[in-house]
């Protein structure tokens, strides 16, 4: 029994050493433009190249997140929900580095199924992390460094899921019009904002029985390449929080709740989306 325990400890130390080695490697940035150009012609050769790239890139990104989750301040790393998330990342890291070298399309298909399963495993990372942070707030005040970590962590998570999702979606034999994988080449931010606002207002209706009006200002014909699901989530969260603030402020008031404004402005190099409300 003692021999087995010692062997297990040595294996754990060896595994964590490998996690640290991968976590120290430099990750490769991938632009939206490159993903569009590369994915516009999803041949078997390109799919194979994509899988080979992810086989080397994903362990680096996942290892970094696992290391960060192990060294959070104020005891957050020891919160059960955070430990659960860390185990998900370690399991995913182990599965990817254990996968053999990708040499042909059969390997590529098996690897694609693996990362699809990994993506599903991590679906509940955000609410699980939120639970851990909430438990910490019951003991400590909300420290700035935890907010900074969460911003960095969630941005990295989006990057990992984008890489996996883009590769998986390139296998779709019937992609939606104007789409290259996850990316819509002519996405209308006005349309996405409208849909996200309606979803947020529906949630507000269910919670409070009413919802403030949402007014959207912007050119409905303006489009740019982006991931609609990502923009939808961002606008939805902003509008949802704004609706909640308005409801709680005017719930017991004789005043009429002010409308929420979404202003969409395109610049030379970027797009600005502002969510605000009157009378505040």
């Amino acid at each position: 029994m003692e021999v087995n325990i010692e062997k297990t400890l040595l294996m754990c130390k060896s595994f964590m050493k490998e996690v640290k080695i991968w976590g120290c490697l430099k990750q490769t940035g991938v632009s939206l433009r490159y993903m569009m150009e590369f994915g516009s012609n999803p041949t078997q050769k390109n799919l194979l190249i994509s899988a080979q790239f992810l086989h080397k890139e994903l362990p680096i990104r996942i290892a970094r997140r696992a290391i960060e989750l192990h060294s959070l301040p104020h005891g957050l790393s020891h919160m059960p929900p955070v430990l659960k998330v860390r185990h998900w990342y370690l399991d995913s890291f182990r599965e990817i580095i254990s996968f053999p070298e990708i040499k042909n399309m059969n390997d590529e298909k098996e690897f694609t199924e693996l990362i699809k399963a990994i993506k599903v495993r991590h679906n509940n990372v955000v609410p699980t992390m939120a639970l851990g942070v909430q438990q910490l707030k019951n003991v400590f005040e909300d420290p700035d460094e935890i907010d900074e970590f969460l911003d960095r962590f969630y941005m990295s998570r989006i990057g990992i899921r984008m890489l996996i999702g883009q590769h998986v979606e390139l296998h779709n034999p019937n992609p939606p019009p104007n789409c290259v994988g996850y990316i819509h080449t002519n996405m209308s931010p006005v349309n996405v904002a409208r849909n996200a606002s309606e979803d947020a207002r529906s949630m507000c209706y269910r919670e409070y029985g009413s919802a403030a009006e949402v007014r959207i200002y912007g050119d409905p014909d303006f489009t740019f390449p982006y991931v609609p699901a990502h923009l939808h989530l961002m606008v939805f969260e902003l509008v949802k929080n704004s609706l909640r603030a308005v409801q709680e402020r005017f719930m017991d008031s004789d005043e009429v709740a002010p409308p929420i404004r979404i202003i969409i402005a395109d610049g030379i190099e970027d797009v600005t989306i502002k969510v605000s409300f009157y009378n505040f």
Side-chain angles (χ1 to χ4, degrees), residues 95-136:
E95 289 174 359
I96 294 176
I97 64 170
S98 299
F99 195 90
E101 182 182 358
I102 301 171
K103 298 179 179 179
N104 52 51
M105 289 308 296
N106 287 332
D107 296 340
E108 189 275 335
K109 289 179 181 177
E110 289 184 20
F111 181 74
T112 299
E113 290 302 314
L114 170 64
I115 60 177
K116 280 173 65 176
I118 287 174
K119 188 169 181 283
V120 171
R121 172 188 292 149
H122 291 252
N123 279 347
N124 292 323
V125 162
V126 172
T128 307
M129 284 295 296
L131 180 60
V133 173
Q134 186 59 47
Q135 290 177 358
L136 184 67

Side-chain angles (χ1 to χ4, degrees), residues 62-75:
I62 292 173
R64 288 187 173 193
R65 302 291 73 77
I67 292 169
E68 276 196 324
L69 288 167
H70 184 61
S71 55
L72 297 177
H74 304 287

Side-chain angles (χ1 to χ4, degrees), residues 13 78 108 135 141 171 216 243:
K13 289 181 179 179
H78 303 294
E108 189 275 335
Q135 290 177 358
E141 294 183 359
H171 290 75
I216 301 174
L243 288 169

